[in-house]
Every structure is written in C-alpha cells, then in structure tokens.
C-alpha cells in the first residue's frame, strides 16, 4: 500500500480469487493456462477510478472530468506499480508468482466473471503460491539495450544484432526456433505468437471494453 501512486489517489483495486469455481471461471480468459487453476490464489489487479469518482459528485466537482482515457492511464499506471511492488514483496517472502499478460487480451470475459462495474478495468493478473521447484531465471536483454543517455538513440540493425546475440545463442531459444519451423527468434513472436491480425482484433476488444467501462 506504500507503493508510489498518482496524486496519492491509489487508483487500483485487487480481486482475490481462491475458490476452485472462481479460478475455473477465470481460466478461459487466460487461454486456460494451467497456472490459473493450479495456483492457490489468483489476483486480478484493476485500474479503479470508481472509488475516486464520487468525489466528483460534490457541487464543486464535475464527474465527467474523471471519465477520460487519461483517467484510465493514471489508474493503470497505479495498478501496475502496485503489481510490481506486490510481486517483489511476495518473492522476498519466498512465494512464487506468475504475471499473466493475457489479462488485456480478453478483458470483457474478466469483467463479466468478476462483475466489475464501470470505471474498473482489469490490467494485470498474478498467480501466487509456494513453488514446487526453483527453475533457472529467464533470460533478459543486456542493460545496454534499454539505456539511452541524454536522448533516445535510435536502433540500427547492428545494435539489434548485438542486443539479441546472447539471447539467440541460448540452446533453449534455438530449440524454440526449431520446433516452430522458423529461422529466427523474432519470427516466433511476430509471425506465430503475436500476429498483426490477432493484435488488431484484441486491440479492438480492449477499446470496446474501455468504452463499456466508461473510460472512453
């Protein structure tokens, strides 16, 4: 609760799901990934402007001023900051966590399942539990790939090759390329996992959900 927040408004809420029935209901929205039903607890972190919205109903306020896309961005930022802080604290306590990026793919299913009212939008999901194993950490790009000194230095093909050289050399990533029948790791993500067609469809669904929840 001490995590940084925009204007000290704490524009987030967390729906805690522990029941088997509740987890099974959420699973389809996350492509039935096994961690949703397998973990003891599922947290759905929401951008929540609804709790702040009644302030705008006072005579000196205007409730329409709070229902904007910027309102959603502020609330989503708060929610994601909270998500990261919670993850750090949970892992420090020895818990295992998994961040589900699928939350923004089919938000309407989550909205319906969790009965989220207007001005509440799901933006992140964490599965939480005591880990059965301690796998090796996933690979990451080198620090030089994300740091820009004084101004943004645009990427060149040579820089991209340098940034991804170590990642692409890993045996597990080479196997990932092989089993997907492509030539490069980038193709796995652009041609198979995150196609333009799928991203466009999910973007439309996300915008529709924002309209439904009153942010647009």
């Amino acid at each position: 609760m001490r995590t940084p927040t925009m204007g000290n408004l704490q524009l987030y809420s967390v729906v805690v799901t522990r029941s088997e029935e509740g987890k099974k209901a959420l699973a389809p929205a996350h492509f039935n990934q096994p961690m949703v039903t397998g973990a003891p607890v599922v947290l759905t972190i929401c951008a929540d402007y609804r709790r702040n919205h009644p302030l705008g109903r006072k005579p000196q306020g205007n409730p329409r001023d709070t229902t904007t896309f910027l309102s959603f961005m502020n609330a989503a930022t708060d929610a994601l900051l909270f998500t990261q802080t919670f993850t750090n604290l949970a892992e420090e306590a020895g818990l295992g966590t998994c961040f589900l990026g699928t939350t923004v793919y089919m938000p309407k299913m989550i909205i319906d399942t969790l009965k989220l009212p207007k001005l509440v939008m799901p933006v992140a999901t964490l599965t939480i539990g005591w880990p059965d194993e301690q796998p090796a950490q996933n690979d990451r790009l080198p620090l030089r790939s994300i740091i820009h000194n004084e101004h943004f230095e645009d990427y060149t093909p040579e820089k991209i090759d340098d940034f991804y050289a170590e990642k692409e050399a890993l045996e597990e990533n080479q196997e990932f390329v092989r089993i997907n029948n492509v030539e490069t790791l980038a193709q796995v993500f652009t041609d198979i996992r995150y196609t333009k067609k799928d991203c466009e469809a999910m973007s439309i669904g996300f915008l529709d959900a924002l309209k439904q929840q009153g942010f647009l």
Side-chain angles (χ1 to χ4, degrees):
M1 297 291 283
R2 301 301 307 176
T3 201
T5 170
M6 197 283 295
N8 199 29
L9 293 176
Q10 294 183 267
L11 301 171
Y12 53 83
S13 287
V14 183
V15 181
V16 182
T17 304
R18 292 190 176 92
S19 69
E20 294 302 317
E21 179 183 4
K23 289 184 286 186
K24 287 180 180 178
L26 281 172
H30 297 288
F31 299 96
N32 292 305
Q33 294 179 91
M35 66 282 285
V36 178
T37 53
V41 181
V42 177
L43 303 183
T44 305
I45 299 94
C46 302
D48 182 355
Y49 225 102
R50 189 176 183 86
R51 188 173 57 242
N52 185 63
H53 191 261
L55 297 176
R57 293 196 177 102
K58 294 180 180 180
Q60 67 270 30
N62 185 342
R64 290 175 296 179
D65 291 342
T66 66
T67 55
T68 64
F69 183 68
L70 182 60
S71 303
F72 167 72
M73 288 300 299
N74 286 332
T77 300
D78 269 17
L80 292 172
L81 285 168
F82 176 88
T83 301
Q84 183 61 69
T85 299
F86 181 92
T87 300
N88 292 344
L89 293 172
E91 292 183 351
E92 184 178 315
L95 287 162
T97 69
C98 183
F99 176 85
L100 302 184
T102 45
T103 307
V104 297
Y105 290 174
M106 293 187 286
K108 286 186 177 181
M109 294 180 67
I110 299 174
I111 290 167
D112 292 342
T113 300
L114 300 181
K115 300 179 181 179
L116 303 182
K118 283 187 177 295
L119 299 183
V120 180
M121 183 78 177
V123 294
T125 300
L126 291 174
T127 58
I128 312 293
W130 298 106
D132 292 328
E133 55 186 348
Q134 296 292 336
Q137 289 186 326
N138 289 332
D139 59 88
R140 290 290 189 266
L141 292 172
L143 183 62
R144 64 182 180 277
S145 69
I146 66 167
I147 298 298
H148 301 260
N149 292 310
E150 306 300 336
H151 62 84
F152 194 98
E153 298 179 13
D154 204 0
Y155 307 116
T156 64
E158 293 76 20
K159 285 183 178 180
I160 296 296
D161 288 343
D162 172 50
F163 297 159
Y164 281 88
E166 184 176 346
K167 180 185 283 282
E168 292 181 334
L170 292 174
E171 184 177 341
E172 57 266 34
N173 285 336
Q174 291 181 354
E175 175 66 8
F176 198 34
V177 169
R178 187 191 68 78
I179 63 176
N180 281 282
N181 297 311
V182 293
E183 296 180 1
T184 67
L185 188 62
Q187 287 176 300
V188 176
F189 295 97
T190 59
D191 299 350
I192 299 174
R193 298 193 68 182
Y194 305 108
T195 65
K196 181 179 180 181
K197 179 181 177 182
D198 288 343
C199 288
E200 286 177 342
M202 289 185 288
S203 294
I204 291 171
F206 191 81
L207 289 171
D208 286 345
L210 282 177
K211 291 176 183 177
Q212 173 185 305
Q213 297 307 98
F215 285 106
L216 290 178

